[in-house]
């Protein structure tokens, strides 16, 4: 028996044309529009219902929870603007597109979350210092239970949308909704305890809610700033791209892989691809073109590949393995590439060896010490040779 689509799937099918083409900026904008408008309507509704219930009960924690929903609606407006601006095509001033607007929207959402937490903390402290009677009744309980149910659905809905289009903004929205489920549950529990024991926990509950919101907001802020700062891509993506490059016929290896993130759907990559030196330029170019096309189609990566010719018969390839094997005595992650051996250079008539060395983060040996060590290793094979060494750092995929 076929499985019937759930509510979220039916909503997506109704409002998102071409829903599976998640790399297209128009599709991403449609997902963002759907999420933002749905959340704005629901958050405004919850704010009204809990606001009325909180004022009738004289509960600062319920009113604070209602204001939190109003803040969420403001965050949803920011998210909507972020998706709209991010969907704009590249122009002369922004050749890599406007995708990072989505990340900026996430930063603003996180800041708003922290600001709401601070405001709630102030109101809660005032309630603790100057207690006022709280009349908790069925209306308050119903409003809080409704909020928990709606927020739980919103968290799941936005998580699914965010996972489908790989959106930090929607994931932040989902996390905020999950936080609201926890905080509203805490408010409900405190209200029940207060009603049953006549111990007024309203202000303390509001203070706990505000602390939770602020901690969550700071976490969201960190997560949304990371992409703007150029954080390392996921290990899964790096491994997948590297494996795809080296999997093509004629490719001997790949190194210096860099992936630049200019926003969802706006990722660029570059890498050096090692191929046999006796392969024709036309044949090598054809293979690299195929790799670039496939990475664009399958991963959404606009890639530029550089061909490194490798002499597979003698000389440089043996020297590379020799140097790399000896460097393993220092650190097994050290690797070399772009090894060139010139028996008689034009510069001074002596032997010349050029190579790049990739060093991992945290290596205690300095660059100068590493260069001297490599020179000593090369001179064991080629005494008196001039050795030119480039130290690579920061690349996300070393040579193999």
């Amino acid at each position: 028996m076929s499985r019937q689509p759930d509510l979220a799937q039916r909503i997506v099918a109704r409002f998102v044309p071409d829903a599976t083409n998640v790399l297209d900026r128009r599709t991403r904008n449609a997902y963002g529009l759907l999420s933002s408008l749905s959340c704005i309507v629901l958050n405004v509704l919850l704010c009204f219902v809990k606001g009325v219930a909180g004022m009738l009960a004289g509960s600062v924690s319920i009113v604070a929870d209602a204001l939190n929903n109003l803040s969420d609606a403001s965050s949803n407006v920011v998210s909507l603007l972020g998706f709209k601006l991010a969907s704009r095509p590249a122009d002369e001033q922004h050749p890599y597109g406007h995708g990072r607007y989505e990340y900026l929207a996430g930063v603003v959402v996180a800041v708003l979350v922290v600001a709401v937490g601070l405001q709630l903390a102030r109101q809660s402290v005032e309630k603790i210092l100057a207690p006022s009677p709280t009349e908790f009744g069925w209306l308050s309980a119903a409003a809080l239970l409704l909020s928990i149910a709606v927020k739980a659905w919103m968290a799941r809905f936005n998580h699914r949308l965010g996972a489908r289009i790989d959106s930090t903004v929607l994931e932040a929205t989902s996390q905020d909704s999950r936080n609201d489920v926890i905080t509203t549950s805490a408010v409900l529990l405190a209200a029940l305890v207060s009603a049953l024991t006549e111990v007024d926990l309203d202000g303390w509950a509001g203070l706990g809610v505000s602390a939770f919101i602020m901690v969550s907001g700071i976490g969201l802020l960190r997560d949304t700033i990371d992409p703007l700062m150029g954080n390392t891509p996921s290990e899964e993506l790096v491994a997948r791209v590297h494996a795809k490059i080296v999997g093509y016929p004629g490719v001997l290896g790949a190194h210096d892989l860099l992936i630049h993130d200019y926003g969802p759907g706006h990722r660029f990559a570059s890498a050096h691809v090692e191929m046999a030196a006796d392969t024709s330029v036309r044949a090598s170019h054809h293979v690299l073109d195929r790799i670039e096309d496939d990475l664009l189609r399958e991963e959404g990566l606009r890639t530029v590949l550089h061909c490194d010719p490798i002499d597979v018969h003698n000389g440089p390839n043996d020297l590379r393995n020799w140097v790399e094997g000896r460097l393993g005595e220092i650190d097994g992650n050290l690797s070399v590439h772009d090894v060139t051996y010139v028996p008689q250079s034009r510069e001074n008539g002596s032997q010349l060896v050029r190579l790049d060395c990739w060093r991992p983060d945290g290596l205690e040996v300095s660059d100068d010490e590493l260069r001297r060590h490599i020179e000593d290793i090369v001179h064991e094979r080629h005494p008196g040779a001039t050795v030119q060494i480039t130290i690579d750092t920061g690349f996300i995929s070393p040579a193999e």
Side-chain angles (χ1 to χ4, degrees):
M1 186 172 68
S2 61
R3 183 180 178 183
Q4 294 296 320
D6 59 18
L7 177 60
Q9 292 173 320
R10 293 197 297 271
I11 291 175
V12 169
R14 174 67 177 83
F15 293 101
V16 182
D18 198 16
T20 59
N21 188 16
V22 297
L23 294 178
D24 185 84
R25 65 175 185 271
R26 291 167 296 186
T27 301
R28 293 187 64 84
N29 186 47
Y31 273 104
L33 181 65
L34 171 62
S35 170
S36 299
L37 292 180
S38 300
C39 291
I40 289 171
V41 171
L42 292 174
N43 277 317
V44 170
L45 175 63
L46 290 178
C47 176
F48 175 77
V49 172
K50 286 193 290 188
V52 171
M55 286 187 290
L56 291 177
S59 170
V60 67
S61 60
I62 297 178
V63 172
D65 209 27
L67 291 176
N68 184 33
N69 292 138
L70 185 61
S71 171
D72 291 341
S74 301
S75 300
N76 300 143
V77 173
V78 173
S79 300
L80 178 61
L81 293 175
F83 276 105
K84 191 66 177 177
L85 292 172
S87 68
R88 293 165 58 186
D91 54 35
E92 185 176 347
Q93 288 75 33
H94 306 90
Y96 300 107
H98 298 79
R100 285 184 174 173
Y101 271 121
E102 190 173 326
Y103 296 152
L104 288 172
V107 172
V108 175
V109 169
V111 170
L112 288 175
V113 170
V114 175
V116 167
L118 290 171
Q119 176 66 15
L120 299 187
R122 185 186 65 81
Q123 294 177 345
S124 299
V125 170
E126 290 176 354
K127 181 67 180 288
I128 293 172
L129 296 177
S132 57
T134 300
E135 297 294 334
F136 183 76
W138 289 110
L139 177 61
S140 302
L144 293 176
L145 288 171
L146 174 65
S147 177
I148 292 171
V150 172
K151 280 293 183 175
W153 181 86
M154 289 170 64
R156 185 168 181 268
F157 180 64
N158 283 290
H159 174 70
R160 292 177 63 177
L161 296 189
R164 178 172 292 189
I165 67 173
D166 190 24
S167 170
T168 56
V169 174
L170 295 188
E171 187 55 43
T173 302
S174 173
Q175 180 64 48
D176 191 37
S177 294
R178 284 194 293 270
N179 291 345
D180 290 343
V181 171
I182 296 172
T183 55
T184 303
S185 298
V187 170
L188 176 60
L189 179 61
L192 289 173
V193 171
S194 298
L196 296 174
T197 65
E198 297 184 357
V199 177
D200 190 2
L201 297 178
D202 189 49
W204 293 104
L207 190 60
V209 168
S210 66
F212 188 87
I213 290 173
M214 284 187 285
V215 171
S216 173
I218 292 171
L220 291 175
L221 187 62
R222 182 184 62 250
D223 292 341
T224 51
I225 285 178
D226 274 350
L228 289 172
M229 296 298 294
N231 63 323
T232 303
S234 68
E235 293 182 2
E236 294 79 9
L237 176 61
V238 173
R240 197 164 61 241
V241 172
H242 191 274
K244 179 172 287 294
I245 292 174
V246 300
Y248 284 77
V251 175
L252 304 177
H255 55 267
D256 290 4
L257 171 61
L258 291 172
I259 299 178
H260 307 277
D261 189 346
Y262 287 91
H266 299 79
R267 293 186 301 188
F268 299 81
S270 61
H272 287 211
V273 180
E274 298 174 351
M275 307 186 76
D278 53 7
T279 304
S280 70
V281 174
R282 187 181 298 275
S284 297
H285 183 264
H286 175 68
V287 173
L288 298 183
D289 268 355
R290 283 180 54 202
I291 299 174
E292 291 172 351
D293 291 343
D294 290 346
L295 286 175
L296 178 60
R297 185 180 68 256
E298 298 171 12
E299 299 289 346
L301 278 175
R302 293 168 175 82
T303 311
V304 176
L305 300 177
H306 169 77
C307 178
D308 281 344
I310 301 295
D311 189 338
V312 297
H313 304 294
N314 52 48
N317 195 48
D318 292 336
L319 180 60
R320 169 182 168 173
N321 291 333
W322 162 259
V323 173
E324 195 163 280
R326 294 292 303 278
L327 285 176
E329 300 170 4
I330 302 176
D331 190 306
N333 292 319
L334 281 167
S335 60
V336 296
H337 54 269
D338 289 351
V339 179
T340 303
Y341 171 71
V342 181
Q344 186 175 9
S345 70
R346 295 180 181 179
E347 298 174 4
N348 53 23
S350 67
Q351 301 174 78
L352 174 64
V353 175
R354 294 192 186 96
L355 62 85
D356 291 2
C357 176
W358 182 85
R359 59 170 295 162
D361 292 337
L363 186 68
E364 295 183 357
V365 177
S366 68
D367 286 358
D368 289 339
E369 291 173 326
L370 184 58
R371 288 191 179 92
R372 286 194 295 269
H373 193 75
I374 294 173
E375 287 179 359
D376 292 341
I377 294 174
V378 172
H379 286 156
E380 292 180 28
R381 281 285 183 94
H382 302 283
T386 300
V387 186
Q388 298 179 355
I389 303 167
T390 300
I391 304 296
D392 290 337
T393 58
F395 296 102
I396 60 177
S397 179
E400 293 196 327

